[in-house]
């Protein structure tokens, strides 16, 4: 990875808005019109943290996570989102972000880092297995709308 790239916390409204282009790669169902309100709510009230890799002023990859405690897994970091712009895939940015979050969890003496991924997202699964993740549950949901 070139020295011009850095990981930093995404906090400003402008930076959060810049994440939309990256998020749409993973979550094309997101509504562009609702993005700003949703991401602002998550950061302000749901302990959602965004860390991004920047190339100059452009966000090219980000990870979104929450610090929480669950009866199942203990004190954890739950990764909601890990996204990279298509043109920057295969360069180790997602791996760099995963390592960053694992180091954060370890430094805070957490029990685990937890995430969900789609059954057919084999590229992401390979990345996660290479970072020491293992299958431990099946994620289920019931859509209400």
């Amino acid at each position: 990875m070139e020295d011009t790239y850095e990981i930093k916390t995404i906090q400003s409204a402008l930076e959060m808005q810049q994440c939309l282009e990256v998020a749409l790669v993973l979550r094309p169902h997101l509504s562009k019109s609702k993005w700003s309100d949703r991401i602002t709510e998550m950061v302000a009230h749901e302990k959602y943290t965004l860390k991004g890799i920047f190339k100059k002023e452009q966000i090219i990859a980000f990870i979104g996570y929450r610090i929480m405690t669950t009866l199942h897994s203990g004190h954890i970091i739950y990764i909601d989102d890990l996204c990279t712009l298509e043109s920057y895939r295969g360069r180790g940015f997602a791996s760099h972000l995963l390592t960053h979050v694992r180091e954060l969890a370890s430094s805070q003496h957490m029990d685990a880092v937890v995430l969900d991924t789609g059954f057919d997202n084999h590229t992401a699964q390979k990345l996660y297995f290479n970072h020491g993740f293992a299958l431990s549950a099946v994620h289920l949901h019931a859509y209400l709308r």
Side-chain angles (χ1 to χ4, degrees):
M1 215 170 348
E2 298 175 21
D3 291 338
T4 57
Y5 300 100
E6 64 176 308
I7 292 179
K8 67 179 196 177
T9 302
I10 295 167
Q11 295 177 315
S12 75
L14 176 61
E15 290 171 339
M16 285 186 240
Q17 193 60 37
Q18 289 175 356
C19 285
L20 175 58
E21 178 186 359
V22 186
L24 288 172
V25 172
L26 179 65
R27 310 211 184 283
H29 66 279
L30 288 175
S31 165
K32 292 180 183 181
S33 63
K34 293 181 182 177
W35 168 262
S36 183
D37 289 340
R38 181 173 289 180
I39 200 74
T40 301
E41 171 74 17
M42 290 167 63
V43 169
H45 302 289
E46 298 179 14
K47 299 180 181 177
Y48 185 77
T49 299
L50 288 158
K51 299 268 181 123
I53 294 182
F54 289 70
K55 180 179 180 185
K56 299 183 183 179
E57 298 299 316
Q58 180 188 19
I59 296 169
I60 59 172
F62 78 86
I63 192 164
Y65 62 89
R66 304 161 200 266
I67 295 176
M68 62 176 64
T69 303
T70 68
L71 294 175
H72 177 268
S73 299
H75 192 53
I76 65 169
I77 289 182
Y78 180 82
I79 298 172
D80 290 83
D81 305 292
L82 178 58
C83 313
T84 303
L85 286 175
E86 293 282 350
S87 59
Y88 289 92
R89 287 195 170 174
R91 299 186 193 182
F93 297 116
S95 183
H96 195 56
L97 288 165
L98 276 176
T99 298
H100 178 80
V101 168
R102 285 187 60 128
E103 288 172 354
L104 174 65
S106 180
S107 73
Q108 294 186 15
H109 307 289
M110 295 187 172
D111 298 309
V113 176
V114 178
L115 58 82
D116 293 316
T117 188
F119 283 112
D120 60 348
N121 194 345
H122 303 294
T123 302
Q125 292 167 17
K126 181 178 177 184
L127 172 69
Y128 302 142
F129 292 145
N130 286 339
H131 278 266
F133 288 83
L135 296 173
S136 63
V138 174
H139 178 87
L140 304 171
H141 63 268
Y143 285 113
L144 300 177
R145 297 188 246 174

